Structures are given as structure tokens and as C-alpha cells.
Amino acid sequence: MIEITPGLAHALVAEQFPQWSHLPVAPVARQGWDNRTFRLGDELAVRLPSAEGYVPGVDKEDRCLRVLVGHVPLPVPEPVATGRPAAGYPFPWSIRRWLPGETVEAATDVDRAALARDLGAFLTALRQAPTEAGPACGRHSFFRGCHPSVYSDDVEQSLDRLRNVVDVAACRAVWAQALTSAWPSAPTWFHGDVAVGNLLTTGGRLSAVIDFGTCGVGDPACGLVMAWTYFEGDERNLFREAVGLPDDAWRRARGWALWKALVTMAGQSSPDPEGVQNRILVQVLEHRMTA
């Protein structure tokens, strides 16, 4: 990871986009793992990949967001400009329109039932967007949108490391169920990282969806993991109804949630000092999303 500071962001803007050099630069309160984001004045945001592996998302977002903006019911980040490597920073970077709101992760007034319905409606509309300009799932999406079996080795390695920590037999059963089906229809758009840090709320309601760096076209099951990572009880059922996908998609989605929990707990993914993925694993093992 590169150390990315407000000073670096300001230097890049001043050198390449002097028309905005007078605007203040300030970090957002909660940073993501893949990119560092800074406010640029009141209406813009600077977004810089934190490592080389996340660089392909810059050009991809530039292209994909322009396609999707007219086909989804909520605001998404609007590309404004793309910067080049300079000022000691080795990667391309981007400037977007700033979208107001608090993340679901930070907000204290979220209407959870409404979020379940609204997020389901957004994902349904996303699946219906034209896919001609969409990139097929693959390495650029960290294999989101592919069949979950692409991560079978990761799951087995994680279970080996965690054999004295988790219920290995139960995890294997969930994973096996995830592998028994495949997306049977034409590939559709998927976001790639539907998570509490990438959903903005205003007045407790879902108001925007951000961070499309791992988006693409493929199996939409990877976008359903909020059923276990956030929603509870009746909220899960509301989310399921709003999404409108069959049981087999939810089995694959459960597999995606299991994979992420296991690789994080086993130290193969981003750090999780608060043990969030441990709690998610409990939800994954306890709750099936089938009728």
C-alpha cells in the first residue's frame, strides 16, 4: 500500500487540473481498502487507488459509470476527470462528482426495511441495464461475477488454517451447495462490492451507490451477500423479494459470503481487527435464503 495523504492529492490536482487547485482537499471520514478518497471543495471527490492491483478500476469506472447512470434508479459517481501518474504517485487516478450522504456503516438512522427493498430494487434495475459495453467478469473484478468455484482453493486453504476455529464440516456443506448451480441466463451487470461502506443514505434512506471498481458483467449472485453481512430476520425476506432471484442464486451468494468470511479470518484478505467476518460467518452458517 502507498501512503496517500491530502497533500499528495492536492499536489496531483494542482499540477494536472489547476482550475481546481484553489479548492480545499480533505479526507473522507471512513476510507475504503481499494482506494483513498478526498473531498475536493464542495462538489468533487478525488479517488486514488491504494495499490497496483486496483488500478484497472479507474478506467473501467470511467467507462461503466457513463453507461449505467441512465439505467439505475439512484445516483452513482459521475466521472469528471482522469489524472495520470505524477508527483510521486505511480498510478492513474480520478475526479468524481461528490455524492452527499452517510454510508450505511456510519449512519445511525437507517430504515433497514426500506433499505432492503430499495437495495433490491437497485440491483434488479442493474441486472436489466444493457450489457454491450460491460466488461466480462474476470481478474479485473477479482472474479466477482464468475462461478464461486474460482475460489475453491482459497476456501480449502482457509479451512485448513481455521480447522480448530470454525465448524469445518458445516462450512464445507455450505460451499458444496454453492457449487451445485451456475447462472443459467445471459450475463448481467453486477456491482462487485455491495457492502455497507459503498451504500450512501440520506434521512435514513438509500440515496446513492458508490465504488464500482469491481463491477462487470456475469452472475449477479455475488451482489447478494448483504443478506448475511447486514440484514437480519424479516429484512432478509424483504431483500430476497425485492431482488427477485431464485434459490440457486442465493446458494451461490451464500458461498460468496462464506468465502469472504473465511479468507479474512484466515489472514488471506484485508485485516478485520473488530472481528466482523467472524460474526458474519455465524450468520452464513445459521441462515439459508431458501423458501
Side-chain angles (χ1 to χ4, degrees), residues 144-165:
R144 267 74 163 189
C146 298
H147 194 266
S149 60
V150 71
Y151 281 125
S152 287
D153 285 350
D154 280 4
V155 169
E156 285 302 319
Q157 291 169 12
S158 297
L159 288 175
D160 184 60
R161 294 185 185 184
L162 299 170
R163 59 185 177 275
N164 297 320
V165 178

Side-chain angles (χ1 to χ4, degrees), residues 103-122:
T103 64
V104 168
E105 183 179 30
T108 59
D109 60 347
V110 176
D111 184 333
R112 294 173 63 100
L115 176 63
R117 291 189 292 266
D118 293 345
L119 179 58
F122 178 88

Side-chain angles (χ1 to χ4, degrees), residues 124-184:
T124 299
L126 183 63
R127 294 200 311 271
Q128 296 168 351
T131 59
E132 289 80 4
C137 56
R139 191 174 300 277
H140 68 90
S141 65
F142 294 90
F143 300 105
R144 267 74 163 189
C146 298
H147 194 266
S149 60
V150 71
Y151 281 125
S152 287
D153 285 350
D154 280 4
V155 169
E156 285 302 319
Q157 291 169 12
S158 297
L159 288 175
D160 184 60
R161 294 185 185 184
L162 299 170
R163 59 185 177 275
N164 297 320
V165 178
V166 304
D167 186 335
V168 172
C171 290
R172 284 207 171 106
V174 171
W175 188 245
Q177 291 172 358
L179 305 187
T180 58
S181 67
W183 180 242

Side-chain angles (χ1 to χ4, degrees), residues 67-289:
V67 172
L68 294 174
V69 68
H71 296 279
V72 289
L74 292 169
V76 296
E78 177 188 348
V80 175
T82 303
R84 64 184 184 279
Y89 180 73
F91 308 134
W93 51 283
S94 61
I95 295 178
R96 307 268 190 257
R97 293 287 176 199
W98 175 257
L99 290 171
E102 287 187 291
T103 64
V104 168
E105 183 179 30
T108 59
D109 60 347
V110 176
D111 184 333
R112 294 173 63 100
L115 176 63
R117 291 189 292 266
D118 293 345
L119 179 58
F122 178 88
L123 295 176
T124 299
L126 183 63
R127 294 200 311 271
Q128 296 168 351
T131 59
E132 289 80 4
C137 56
R139 191 174 300 277
H140 68 90
S141 65
F142 294 90
F143 300 105
R144 267 74 163 189
C146 298
H147 194 266
S149 60
V150 71
Y151 281 125
S152 287
D153 285 350
D154 280 4
V155 169
E156 285 302 319
Q157 291 169 12
S158 297
L159 288 175
D160 184 60
R161 294 185 185 184
L162 299 170
R163 59 185 177 275
N164 297 320
V165 178
V166 304
D167 186 335
V168 172
C171 290
R172 284 207 171 106
V174 171
W175 188 245
Q177 291 172 358
L179 305 187
T180 58
S181 67
W183 180 242
S185 304
T188 73
W189 279 100
F190 59 86
H191 176 277
D193 191 12
V194 180
V196 292
N198 293 330
L199 305 175
L200 300 184
T201 66
T202 302
R205 295 294 297 269
L206 183 63
S207 59
V209 179
I210 61 175
D211 195 351
F212 282 74
T214 49
C215 75
V217 172
D219 178 1
C222 63
L224 309 180
V225 296
M226 285 275 287
W228 298 275
T229 62
Y230 181 77
F231 294 123
E232 301 173 349
D234 290 341
E235 301 160 4
R236 288 191 178 97
N237 295 328
L238 291 172
F239 183 49
R240 177 191 171 96
E241 292 169 5
V243 167
L245 286 174
D247 287 355
D248 61 345
W250 292 99
R251 287 193 290 271
R252 295 192 303 279
R254 193 180 182 206
W256 279 107
L258 175 81
W259 161 75
K260 182 63 174 179
L262 290 177
V263 296
T264 303
M265 292 170 63
Q268 300 186 72
S269 184
S270 53
D272 183 24
E274 297 179 359
V276 172
Q277 294 296 336
N278 302 51
R279 296 190 290 274
I280 290 172
L281 181 62
V282 172
Q283 298 298 313
V284 169
L285 296 180
E286 289 182 353
H287 297 282
R288 299 176 61 188
M289 289 294 293

